[in-house]
Amino acid sequence: MDTYAVWGNPIAQSKSPQIHAVFAAQTGQAMKYEAILGDPQQFEQQLRAFFAAGAKGCNITAPFKQRAYLLADCHSERAITAQACNTLKKLDDGRLYADNTDGAGLVSDLNRLGWLKPEQSLLILGAGGATKGVLLPLLQARQNILIANRTLSKARELADKFAPYGNIQALELVRIPPQKFDLIINATSSGLQGKIPDIAPEILLRAGAVYDMQYAKHTDTPFIAHCKGLGVTKLCDGFGMLVNQAAHSFNLWRGVMPQTEMLLAEGKL
């Protein structure tokens, strides 16, 4: 039986083992998948030992996405542009291949919702690793992107880097123009501290739809709760992105794309 895992720290909250168990049963794949707590001091040694013992692949979550990327021997374009990976696959020749399926998972979920159409105006809140991981697939989907970040230099750095791939601009979070955006995506990590991005309520109320890349079990994220309190009705959290990025990883490993509809219909695991 082939071995897979998700590595992170913390990791007990991960839903990946349940998701991949559903995918394996659905597609008849003989595999086991576990959650492993990575040691910040020994992560590279742990990961090498994991693959040396015969593992076929793994997912990577915070805080190890950049370190896993550097450990890999070859990389997909979307991993290179993100300078981080969430998926590793051991190739037949023994090399480690790094991919980043976060953006593909987000695009798949936005398509499922019917929220992704060409040439939309898309506002992304935050310029950290989460944003960097999804920009290439969003630009390939022909979105006109505005990155708003508390620190302008970080947003500009990303906009400059991704400018060859499409229409992308940057500005400070407090300087978002009072226009209607087709879609607003919260890619900040503020919800982990129970906080929300500092964005004017009227901008959220004018939006065609609002998406939070974070998700919370059996409740709303702080950002979703805030938007609901304002009266925003077209809202979604990141559970569908989580399931869809897992499906893209599974397809990379096993050569079959699992169906996500059942998991998404049932809601949070």
Side-chain angles (χ1 to χ4, degrees):
M1 184 176 289
D2 294 336
T3 298
Y4 297 86
V6 57
W7 290 81
N9 190 325
I11 200 60
Q13 81 288 353
S14 176
K15 305 304 175 197
S16 293
Q18 296 100 304
I19 293 170
H20 284 282
V22 171
F23 290 164
Q26 177 196 111
T27 57
Q29 297 290 306
M31 56 183 284
K32 64 176 182 176
Y33 186 111
E34 59 186 329
I36 302 178
L37 182 68
D39 184 332
Q41 310 304 319
Q42 302 289 324
F43 173 68
E44 286 79 6
Q45 295 93 315
Q46 287 181 313
L47 201 59
R48 287 193 186 99
F50 174 72
F51 281 106
K56 298 291 186 180
C58 66
N59 287 124
I60 306 290
T61 188
F64 300 123
K65 290 184 178 184
Q66 289 177 309
R67 289 169 66 172
Y69 171 86
L70 294 172
L71 195 66
D73 303 297
C74 46
H75 310 77
S76 68
E77 182 183 23
R78 53 197 185 187
I80 291 170
T81 54
Q83 291 288 289
C85 72
N86 75 332
T87 308
L88 289 172
K89 177 182 179 179
K90 190 171 185 178
L91 302 176
D92 292 339
D93 61 10
R95 292 182 301 159
L96 283 184
Y97 175 75
D99 195 6
N100 192 318
T101 67
D102 286 333
L106 174 60
V107 166
S108 292
D109 199 38
L110 293 175
N111 279 322
R112 173 185 71 91
L113 293 164
W115 291 3
L116 201 65
K117 297 174 179 60
E119 305 302 333
Q120 288 188 140
S121 60
L122 197 160
L123 174 65
I124 298 182
L125 308 176
T131 299
K132 196 184 296 185
V134 302
L135 282 178
L136 180 60
L138 286 171
L139 288 167
Q140 289 172 333
R142 295 164 54 199
Q143 302 300 292
N144 299 308
I145 296 176
L146 181 62
I147 304 173
N149 193 57
R150 195 172 50 201
T151 306
L152 178 59
S153 59
K154 282 191 71 175
R156 276 186 175 156
E157 183 182 332
L158 277 191
D160 290 344
K161 178 178 180 179
F162 284 88
Y165 298 97
N167 184 8
I168 182 168
Q169 297 177 321
L171 84 173
E172 279 184 90
L173 198 60
V174 295
R175 297 188 180 277
I176 299 171
Q179 70 183 69
K180 176 180 167 127
F181 293 94
D182 295 306
L183 176 62
I184 296 176
I185 296 176
N186 177 32
T188 70
S189 59
S190 57
L192 298 175
Q193 291 82 44
K195 300 176 182 177
I196 58 170
D198 186 16
I199 175 173
E202 58 267 23
I203 294 170
L204 293 170
L205 284 165
R206 287 195 188 106
V210 177
Y211 190 97
D212 191 356
M213 283 171 57
Q214 294 187 347
Y215 73 97
K217 187 175 182 180
H218 303 316
T219 187
D220 291 326
T221 66
F223 184 68
I224 293 288
H226 172 69
C227 290
K228 281 184 177 179
L230 292 174
V232 180
T233 56
K234 204 168 178 182
L235 292 162
C236 189
D237 70 10
F239 181 69
M241 176 182 171
L242 172 75
V243 172
N244 278 289
Q245 65 81 23
H248 285 280
S249 294
F250 189 93
N251 184 46
L252 176 67
W253 296 326
R254 310 302 294 183
V256 57
M257 178 63 85
Q259 298 298 310
T260 60
E261 288 81 0
M262 182 179 71
L263 273 174
L264 294 174
E266 291 173 356
K268 297 174 178 58
L269 291 165

